[in-house]
Amino acid sequence: MIITYHWKNTGDANTTFGELAMDLQVYQSGIGLNKTYLHSRGGSSIEGYKTQSDDIKIAKGEESDATIAYQLDDATGDLYVVANQATRYHEGIVSAFKAPTSGTQYEQVQPDDIAPAPKATEAEKRKMKRISSYSGTPSSPSTT
């Protein structure tokens, strides 16, 4: 799966998409997809994909496309895409895509049009093993 992020540099300095949106997540049925890299045989280009396009610096006011490949779990699940700026604590851009009923092209839709990810039942949760936990106490301010 290749996702194209069309973006515009609205800052004051030259920047790359990778510097701007360092936290990119794509979910299918609530499961995060792995990023991957596509390589063609014989050095020919892959339609709609440009390796390292997220590392191209563009100037203030310019627009560009960054293409990133993800490994699908299956070809029938809808996609939920989140792009956050790593230095911010708010949710960034959210997009959703309906799985194709024929062909390979996903259709972009409103995020609310995607069915929520399935949730584990109470019986399934009881069978799960906790692999990490955290316990701590808040620290009090020190005065010196």
Side-chain angles (χ1 to χ4, degrees):
M1 162 63 60
I2 299 168
I3 295 186
T4 301
Y5 299 89
H6 183 81
W7 67 287
K8 180 177 182 177
N9 181 357
T10 59
D12 292 328
N14 293 354
T15 192
T16 68
F17 183 74
E19 293 169 335
L20 177 67
M22 296 172 69
D23 183 21
L24 301 172
Q25 300 294 323
V26 178
Y27 299 94
Q28 187 176 38
S29 302
I31 310 239
L33 300 182
N34 292 323
K35 287 183 187 176
T36 189
Y37 292 93
L38 303 178
H39 302 280
S40 65
R41 297 180 192 262
S44 61
S45 63
I46 297 171
E47 183 180 346
Y49 180 71
K50 185 174 180 184
T51 306
Q52 306 299 323
S53 59
D54 59 334
D55 285 335
I56 298 170
K57 273 199 191 286
I58 67 167
K60 175 184 177 178
E62 289 186 11
E63 297 181 25
S64 185
D65 287 335
T67 55
I68 300 177
Y70 297 88
Q71 183 178 355
L72 287 175
D73 284 339
D74 65 64
T76 62
D78 299 335
L79 301 175
Y80 189 80
V81 180
V82 180
N84 292 316
Q85 189 172 355
T87 58
R88 308 261 172 127
Y89 295 105
H90 65 281
E91 190 173 75
I93 301 164
V94 176
S95 291
F97 298 86
K98 283 282 203 191
T101 53
S102 65
T104 59
Q105 188 71 32
Y106 279 69
E107 175 191 359
Q108 189 169 11
V109 296
Q110 293 298 316
D112 294 343
D113 293 342
I114 297 293
K119 298 208 183 281
T121 65
E122 288 304 317
E124 290 170 324
K125 288 179 186 178
R126 283 192 291 276
K127 293 178 187 176
M128 293 180 183
K129 180 180 179 184
R130 181 177 296 277
I131 58 173
S132 68
S133 64
Y134 173 77
S135 177
T137 56
S139 61
S140 55
S142 62
T143 57
T144 54

